[in-house]
Amino acid sequence: MDLFSEAAWRVKQAGFDAVELHAAHGYLLSEFMSPYLNMRTDRFGGSFENRMRFPLAVIDSIQKKCGRASPSSSATRSRSGARAAGDRRGAGDRPRPGARRRRRPRPVAGHAGEPGAGFDPMHYPQGWATYAAEATKKVVKIPVITSHSLRDPEYCEQILAEGKTDLVGLGRQVLADPYWAAKAKLGG
Ligand SMILES: Cc1cc2nc3c(=O)[nH]c(=O)nc-3n(C[C@H](O)[C@H](O)[C@H](O)COP(=O)(O)O)c2cc1C
């Protein structure tokens, strides 16, 4: 836990507005949260409360070291966020030994190792993972950011206007064109 809060402290000292905890893609925090991956039998495994114990302790440790977010400090009114898997496959979806694989499995906004979660190929349709943000927004009161294969500003504006997400997150698009957002703003 101290390693997380010390890292967040360094991020804050470096002048960043916020930190995002990686609690998706099968990394440590998501391994604790997932009933599919967490096989522990102690107080960190089993019930929802137990599985959330470690991630919540990490958040607590960061807030103690870096301070809590001030309610109006930034556009998202928060200084921290978490990247979480919006979907998961159940153990029942695991291919049975010897079962024939479907040629192109359905992409899932879940964990690494499942089709789609981390490195979705370019042939995936634009916004294929937005269904997860839309579902998440129905059950939380905090801003939700969708990501994965969002290519056109027009499409992003559309899903924002439809209330499917509060913000959009881009990866490869801004690596390919760091002026993506500026061009979108200016209509270029
Ligand atoms: C080469 C590569 C490395 C990535 N590494 C990470 C990573 O370390 N952590 C993470 O959360 N996502 C990682 N991603 C996933 C991206 O954050 C992003 O979710 C994904 O590329 C889909 O969004 P995009 O279509 O806007 O790029 C990686 C993606 C690629 C292509």
Side-chain angles (χ1 to χ4, degrees):
M1 272 169 317
D2 291 348
L3 292 176
F4 280 98
S5 57
E6 280 163 21
W9 175 252
R10 287 196 295 277
V11 169
K12 188 177 176 182
Q13 297 310 302
F16 285 90
D17 296 328
V19 292
E20 184 175 78
L21 276 179
H22 205 326
H25 299 175
Y27 289 116
L28 185 66
L29 297 181
S30 64
E31 285 181 314
F32 273 93
M33 288 157 62
S34 166
Y36 178 48
L37 300 173
N38 185 338
M39 299 290 144
R40 298 179 74 107
T41 53
D42 59 10
R43 65 196 192 98
F44 293 98
S47 68
F48 175 70
E49 191 186 7
N50 280 0
R51 286 183 280 112
M52 291 305 292
R53 198 180 301 281
F54 180 69
L56 291 177
V58 167
I59 292 169
D60 191 47
S61 155
I62 291 173
Q63 288 183 337
K64 281 201 178 101
K65 193 151 180 93
C66 302
R68 293 181 73 90
S70 98
S72 58
S73 58
S74 75
T76 60
R77 303 202 302 157
S78 168
R79 283 225 180 113
S80 58
R83 182 167 219 192
D87 198 353
R88 68 181 173 87
R89 290 198 168 195
D93 288 338
R94 239 180 205 165
R96 291 185 310 279
R100 281 181 61 191
R101 278 187 64 133
R102 283 163 57 197
R103 204 180 299 156
R104 187 171 285 179
R106 180 175 69 90
V108 175
H111 293 287
E114 294 168 335
F119 313 106
D120 38 340
M122 296 307 287
H123 66 74
Y124 278 15
Q126 173 152 238
W128 66 269
T130 301
Y131 77 96
E134 201 178 348
T136 304
K137 261 182 73 64
K138 292 190 178 130
V139 292
V140 301
K141 295 195 175 80
I142 53 176
V144 173
I145 310 175
T146 190
S147 67
H148 289 75
S149 301
L150 301 169
R151 303 182 185 113
D152 307 319
E154 294 79 15
Y155 178 80
C156 295
E157 289 292 358
Q158 184 194 321
I159 56 175
L160 289 164
E162 289 169 352
K164 292 181 175 172
T165 187
D166 297 304
L167 293 153
V168 294
L170 307 175
R172 289 164 290 187
Q173 292 74 6
V174 286
L175 288 176
D177 182 1
Y179 297 106
W180 190 99
K183 286 177 182 170
K185 191 175 177 187
L186 297 171

